[in-house]
Amino acid sequence: MTFDELKTHYELPFFELLKRARAVHEKHWPEDEVQLCTLLSIKTGGCSEDCSYCAQSARYDSGVEAERLMPKCDILERARAARENGSTRFCMGAAWKGVRAGSKRFEEVLGIVREVSALGMEVCTTLGELGAEEAAQLKEAGVTAYNHNIDTSPEHYGNIVTTHTFQDRLDTIRHVQDAGMSVCSGGILGLGETADDRLRMLEVLSNFNPPPESVPINKLMPMPGTPLAGSAPVDTFDVARTIACARIAIPGAKVRLSAGRTELSEEAQALCFFAGANSIFYGDKLLTAKNPRAEQDLRLLEKLGMRPQAPDRDRAAPEAEPERPLAPQTA
Ligand code: SAM
Ligand code: DTB
Ligand code: SF4
């Protein structure tokens, strides 16, 4: 979708935008279902990158201590518990700049993925930058989706991160797609961006070929010690508008109402589901930050007459359209 089309939608009267997003949602996602994903930080803190929103960067005094890679048996225990609790996707995050084929830690991660994959849930990882070889090995080990957010517009990215570029993010996403994994890519609201930045981000995401399989929309959780610690909260209507635009621009994607739900009332979350969100992180903790309690989420879904989504492991990564350029496009 073009920037101008997105902007036309974003600026509609609120209820008109919701009406249009809802129509797209009902066509593509007729079941009242929400995907439940469990997140686990398998390697926390001490990251070399300077993402100014992140508590795990070693550059900021956020109070998050650098830890080592979690032992495989502990990760498997958490994955089994997630499956028991009804999660259909298990997403493992590591605070690394990236991974390198042949390194000890990457071999360890591959071993972990193989065993988690055998549990039958969708397996997602988010480990930072990947080359073609690393992507192929992760796919081979059983990763079904790779999370790598573009986070904001190409124009604003350099104000938020200086240790890697927007193009680096796109390159990794290309490698993920080439290896046949689904792409999970979205962003954060509340980084001091303009509405146009949000729409540029959605423009870039919607022009991926194939489009992302899931799109996390995070609301900044200001982390003490980070440069964005004192940021003003994003208005809930702006969150809902962005979700509605994501639903319209990328109709087949799961749009995940991600970080920041602890600061959204149940009514605000319901508004976001109505606008097109159909996935959440489920469980008391995100990576380092809090998330609503699982029972509270199940109660909310029940109140809304929505059901947890069935596993979708066999759903192939979206296919590329042959006549469009393959590389993720920035313009
Ligand atoms: N290191 C990997 C990377 O950068 O892709 C994976 C982990 S990173 C923490 C994953 C995503 O979490 C970021 O791209 C960002 O969208 C989100 N995130 C991190 N800190 C956040 C915060 N304080 N508030 C909201 N979202 C946040
Ligand atoms: C995503 O878009 N959000 C998740 C996941 N992908 C890896 C991470 C949210 C992190 C929130 C802050 C924290 O827990 O430190
Ligand atoms: Fe590191 Fe990822 Fe945090 Fe950036 S967002 S500092 S790459 S863990």
Side-chain angles (χ1 to χ4, degrees):
M1 185 169 260
T2 65
F3 175 81
D4 289 343
E5 287 170 307
L6 278 157
K7 189 147 172 135
T8 304
H9 280 103
Y10 194 84
E11 289 178 346
L12 283 170
F14 186 64
F15 291 128
E16 182 60 29
L17 172 58
L18 286 198
K19 203 170 90 187
R20 293 192 192 185
R22 189 66 195 169
V24 173
H25 192 86
E26 282 173 355
K27 180 160 170 237
H28 289 264
W29 301 96
E31 312 289 345
D32 269 320
E33 288 185 343
V34 176
Q35 179 195 37
L36 304 182
C37 310
T38 292
L39 194 52
L40 177 67
S41 181
I42 61 169
K43 196 278 169 201
T44 305
C47 184
S48 63
E49 303 306 279
D50 69 354
C51 312
S52 50
Y53 49 79
C54 187
Q56 302 198 71
S57 166
R59 310 197 178 211
Y60 315 128
D61 202 359
S62 67
V64 172
E65 297 299 323
E67 293 172 14
R68 299 166 74 89
L69 182 61
M70 223 169 138
K72 182 160 72 179
C73 54
D74 294 352
I75 297 171
L76 282 166
E77 198 179 302
R78 301 288 284 270
R80 281 191 208 99
R83 191 181 57 175
E84 298 301 301
N85 278 337
S87 275
T88 54
R89 178 176 287 200
F90 191 65
C91 179
M92 293 174 275
W96 285 325
K97 180 181 177 65
V99 286
R100 216 165 350 102
S103 65
K104 186 166 163 281
R105 74 184 191 194
F106 189 56
E107 289 300 323
E108 265 185 77
V109 169
L110 292 173
I112 291 164
V113 167
R114 281 186 204 103
E115 294 197 28
V116 172
S117 172
L119 299 177
M121 286 175 289
E122 296 173 38
V123 182
C124 175
T125 53
T126 179
L127 315 168
E129 271 174 36
L130 298 182
E133 179 60 26
E134 291 78 14
Q137 291 188 15
L138 284 172
K139 162 80 181 164
E140 165 72 23
V143 170
T144 53
Y146 195 81
N147 168 241
H148 204 63
N149 292 342
I150 60 170
D151 280 319
T152 189
S153 68
E155 294 75 22
H156 192 47
Y157 199 78
N159 302 325
I160 301 301
V161 183
T162 69
T163 45
H164 56 259
T165 64
F166 193 83
Q167 187 59 47
D168 292 333
R169 300 297 280 184
L170 296 183
D171 291 347
T172 291
I173 290 166
R174 182 72 264 152
H175 293 134
V176 170
Q177 290 181 324
D178 287 346
M181 289 180 280
S182 296
V183 166
C184 168
S185 187
I188 316 185
L189 309 182
L191 305 176
E193 75 283 355
T194 61
D196 281 6
D197 286 313
R198 291 174 193 152
L199 301 176
R200 277 284 284 144
M201 173 180 91
L202 292 179
E203 181 193 11
V204 173
L205 291 170
S206 71
N207 287 318
F208 283 3
N209 183 21
E213 176 264 352
S214 49
V215 178
I217 302 292
N218 297 277
K219 175 170 140 65
L220 177 73
M221 303 181 81
M223 296 298 183
T226 63
L228 293 176
S231 301
V234 181
D235 188 275
T236 301
F237 292 107
D238 291 345
V239 177
R241 277 184 187 275
T242 307
I243 287 174
C245 286
R247 172 51 64 222
I248 293 167
I250 319 165
K254 285 181 187 122
V255 176
R256 186 169 307 121
L257 179 58
S258 300
R261 287 196 300 118
T262 44
E263 296 304 312
L264 292 175
S265 67
E266 292 198 331
E267 293 81 357
Q269 293 181 60
L271 189 64
C272 293
F273 294 137
F274 190 84
N278 59 351
S279 174
I280 54 173
F281 286 118
Y282 176 66
D284 308 0
K285 204 170 169 198
L286 293 164
L287 295 172
T288 69
K290 278 196 175 149
N291 202 37
R293 284 185 307 116
E295 312 83 70
Q296 201 178 325
D297 280 339
L298 290 182
R299 260 204 313 276
L300 174 59
L301 294 189
E302 204 181 317
K303 281 196 239 180
L304 299 175
M306 300 177 89
R307 288 180 311 279
Q309 203 163 55
D312 210 3
R313 225 182 116 88
D314 294 333
R315 186 187 154 104
E319 298 265 331
E321 285 175 39
E323 69 278 13
R324 291 198 18 231
L326 275 176
Q329 300 290 296
T330 53

